[in-house]
């Protein structure tokens, strides 16, 4: 069966008189999420973890070595990834970021593939054809389209799944925001947590959560990184102005845990070390995987608090969790070759 014919057959076209229903429940004036569910649910995991430990001692040692100069570097307008500087004044940049972050996961099965290939590939595709990310095109994305979008010379890991995720983005954008991701950002009314929740609610692919010892745990890595990328690409202005950007956590990926282990801040059980060293697959949703991710979130929150404690009153600008994330992630990227292996989980979440 021809894929596009099958999909075309299954999509019911909304007739003209049905306007795209505005989201009645989204009243940004009063119901702003005051807390980030990632913080409190990750803490539950850290409190009950058996395979991963966060060392407060190593955190205070790391903070002791932090100088005012280094701190200033962390909070400087990040040397933000130039691929993300695709600022056309607004809407196209947001569309680009949503597509990049819809695909921003699990590069490791292809040893040559990494995040940069994604961000550069999609940017090149957009420069070649500014309509390539229009929602009514995303709606029909096939696996081959994903490979073309990245400009990759072979199949991309989980290619068909990535295509499904882009079709989902196209469909939800058309249903709710006339196809424009920038309208979704505007609907969040300048709240980072509202935008995070909105993205997690509208696109199931961004709904990064697990059930750990009977408790629901939210990591929301790609939902948060999308907000962080909008903030960074617009330099905290215009569409990137979020009054609660400091409420985001770090982004629970597979690179930062390696850096924190190297700093002695995270430690794994002997059994888990052995699995990671031999590059054994750690199943998505397993206790070991959830503990690695949630303890990483908690470790960076403790690090942020320890820095605030040390530099409070010095007048130094204190880093947000996402600025600590970019710092740690860059360290991980630069040391990909000489750091121990990262854990390997086949997933769409990170
Ligand atoms: N924690 C955190 N994880 C991040 C990012 C980024 C890129 N974003 C920044 C880049 C420029 C702008 O500053 C963007 O903000 C990708 N990843 C994750 O890393 C993994 C990819 O690793 P490798 O296979 O080595 O490329 C994968 O899970 C991917 O999802 C980040 O910033 N923080």
């Amino acid at each position: 069966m021809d894929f596009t014919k099958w999909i075309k057959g299954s999509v019911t076209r909304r007739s003209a008189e049905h306007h795209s229903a505005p989201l009645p429940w989204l009243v940004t004036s009063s119901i702003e999420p005051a807390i980030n569910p990632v913080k409190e649910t990750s803490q539950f995991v850290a409190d009950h973890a058996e395979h991963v430990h966060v060392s407060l001692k190593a955190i205070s040692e790391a903070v002791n070595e932090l100088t005012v100069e280094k701190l200033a570097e962390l909070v400087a307008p990040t040397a933000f990834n130039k691929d993300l500087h695709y600022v056309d004044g607004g809407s196209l940049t947001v569309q680009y970021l949503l597509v990049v972050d819809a695909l921003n996961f699990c590069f490791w099965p292809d040893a040559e593939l990494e995040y940069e290939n994604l961000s550069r590939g999609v940017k090149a595709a957009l420069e070649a054809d500014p309509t390539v990310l229009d929602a009514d095109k995303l709606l029909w994305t096939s696996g081959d389209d994903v490979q073309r979008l990245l400009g990759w010379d072979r199949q991309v890991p989980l290619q068909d799944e990535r295509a499904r995720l882009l079709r989902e983005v196209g469909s939800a954008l058309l249903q709710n925001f006339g196809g424009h991701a920038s309208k979704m950002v505007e609907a969040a009314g300048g709240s980072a947590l509202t935008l995070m929740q909105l993205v997690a609610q509208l696109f199931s692919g961004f709904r990064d959560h697990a059930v750990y010892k009977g408790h629901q745990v939210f990591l929301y890595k790609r939902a948060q990184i999308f907000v962080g990328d909008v903030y960074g690409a617009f330099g905290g202005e215009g569409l990137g102005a979020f009054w609660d950007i400091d409420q985001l956590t770090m982004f629970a990926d597979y690179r930062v845990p390696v850096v924190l282990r190297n700093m002695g801040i995270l430690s794994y059980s002997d059994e888990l070390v052995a699995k990671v060293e031999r590059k054994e697959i750690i199943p998505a949703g397993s206790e070991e995987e959830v503990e690695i991710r949630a303890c990483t979130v908690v470790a960076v929150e403790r690090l942020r608090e320890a820095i605030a404690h040390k530099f409070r009153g010095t007048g130094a600008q204190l880093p947000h969790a996402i600025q600590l994330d970019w710092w740690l992630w860059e360290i991980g990227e630069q040391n990909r070759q000489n750091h121990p292996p990262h854990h390997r989980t086949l997933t769409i979440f990170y």
Side-chain angles (χ1 to χ4, degrees):
M1 161 67 106
D2 170 65
F3 155 83
T4 41
K5 226 186 263 121
W6 172 71
I7 283 276
K8 279 196 185 345
S10 66
V11 171
T12 51
R13 281 266 170 244
R14 178 181 296 133
S15 51
E17 68 270 12
H18 292 163
H19 301 295
S20 68
L23 302 166
W25 45 268
L26 184 77
V27 178
T28 54
S29 57
S30 59
I31 327 170
E32 273 131 15
I35 46 107
N36 184 339
V38 176
K39 286 187 190 175
E40 58 170 321
T41 59
S42 294
Q43 188 59 53
F44 171 83
V45 177
D47 294 342
H48 296 82
E50 298 163 38
H51 312 280
V52 181
H53 173 72
V54 178
S55 163
L56 299 182
K57 181 171 173 294
I59 286 173
S60 58
E61 282 160 7
V63 173
N64 287 341
E65 287 160 28
L66 208 49
T67 61
V68 176
E69 293 72 27
K70 182 62 194 167
L71 192 63
E73 265 179 54
L74 297 188
V75 297
T78 55
F80 208 71
N81 175 297
K82 56 191 169 313
D83 299 316
L84 295 183
H85 274 300
Y86 194 89
V87 184
D88 66 318
S91 60
L92 215 46
T93 299
V94 183
Q95 203 84 358
Y96 163 80
L97 293 174
L98 186 62
V99 166
V100 165
D101 285 325
L103 302 175
N104 185 2
F105 60 87
C106 205
F107 306 109
W108 56 263
D110 178 333
E112 271 82 59
L113 186 66
E114 58 175 311
Y115 169 79
E116 302 298 341
N117 303 115
L118 167 65
S119 61
R120 292 206 182 106
V122 177
K123 181 179 170 187
L126 194 53
E127 283 167 340
D129 170 7
T131 72
V132 74
L133 304 184
D134 286 5
D136 54 11
K137 287 191 176 174
L138 296 177
L139 194 59
W140 306 110
T141 305
S142 68
D144 292 345
D145 292 333
V146 170
Q147 188 180 334
R148 271 192 292 277
L149 199 55
L150 268 70
W152 202 237
D153 61 3
R154 51 189 180 275
Q155 290 244 344
V156 174
L158 298 172
Q159 185 164 290
D160 289 340
E161 185 59 357
R162 292 182 205 265
R164 183 187 65 79
L165 291 164
L166 286 191
R167 295 199 295 271
E168 176 184 75
V169 165
S171 166
L173 284 181
L174 285 167
Q175 284 171 21
N176 297 287
F177 295 106
H180 302 290
S182 56
K183 296 265 178 292
M184 176 175 69
V185 174
E186 288 166 356
S191 163
L193 290 183
T194 300
L195 183 56
M196 175 192 79
Q197 293 283 24
L198 195 49
V199 169
Q201 307 218 8
L202 290 180
F203 311 106
S204 56
F206 281 82
R207 207 168 300 153
D208 173 5
H209 71 287
V211 176
Y212 173 83
K213 296 185 178 178
H215 290 238
Q216 188 169 23
V217 179
F218 297 95
L219 283 312
Y220 281 170
K221 182 258 178 190
R222 295 198 284 106
Q224 293 198 95
I225 207 170
F226 169 66
V227 181
D229 284 348
V230 172
Y231 169 76
F234 289 87
E237 309 286 327
L239 284 169
F242 298 107
W243 52 270
D244 56 347
I245 194 70
D246 63 310
Q247 290 305 308
L248 294 186
T249 71
M250 67 79 60
F251 315 122
D253 73 320
Y254 55 81
R255 186 72 47 212
V256 174
V258 178
V259 178
L260 294 177
R261 265 191 82 205
N262 244 42
M263 295 165 75
I265 289 178
L266 273 196
S267 55
Y268 294 174
S269 68
D270 295 345
E271 189 191 1
L272 180 53
V273 169
K275 287 182 182 177
V276 170
E277 292 293 321
R278 61 174 180 260
K279 301 188 180 178
E280 185 177 318
I281 293 280
I282 310 282
S286 63
E287 285 193 5
E288 288 171 323
E289 187 231 13
V290 178
E291 289 181 14
I292 290 173
R293 301 186 72 201
C295 288
T296 298
V297 170
V298 168
V300 174
E301 283 302 302
R302 294 293 88 78
L303 187 62
R304 185 179 57 74
E305 289 157 2
I307 291 170
H309 180 71
K310 171 177 178 180
F311 291 94
R312 197 179 305 283
T314 65
Q317 191 185 332
L318 301 175
H320 301 149
I322 64 175
Q323 288 163 325
L324 293 176
D325 178 276
W326 286 327
W327 166 49
L328 294 166
W329 186 77
E330 288 295 341
I331 293 171
E333 282 301 288
Q334 279 141 29
N335 292 280
R336 286 160 60 95
Q337 308 314 331
N338 50 30
H339 271 177
H342 61 75
H343 76 282
R344 275 151 172 74
T345 296
L346 204 55
T347 177
I348 62 155
F349 287 144
Y350 63 98

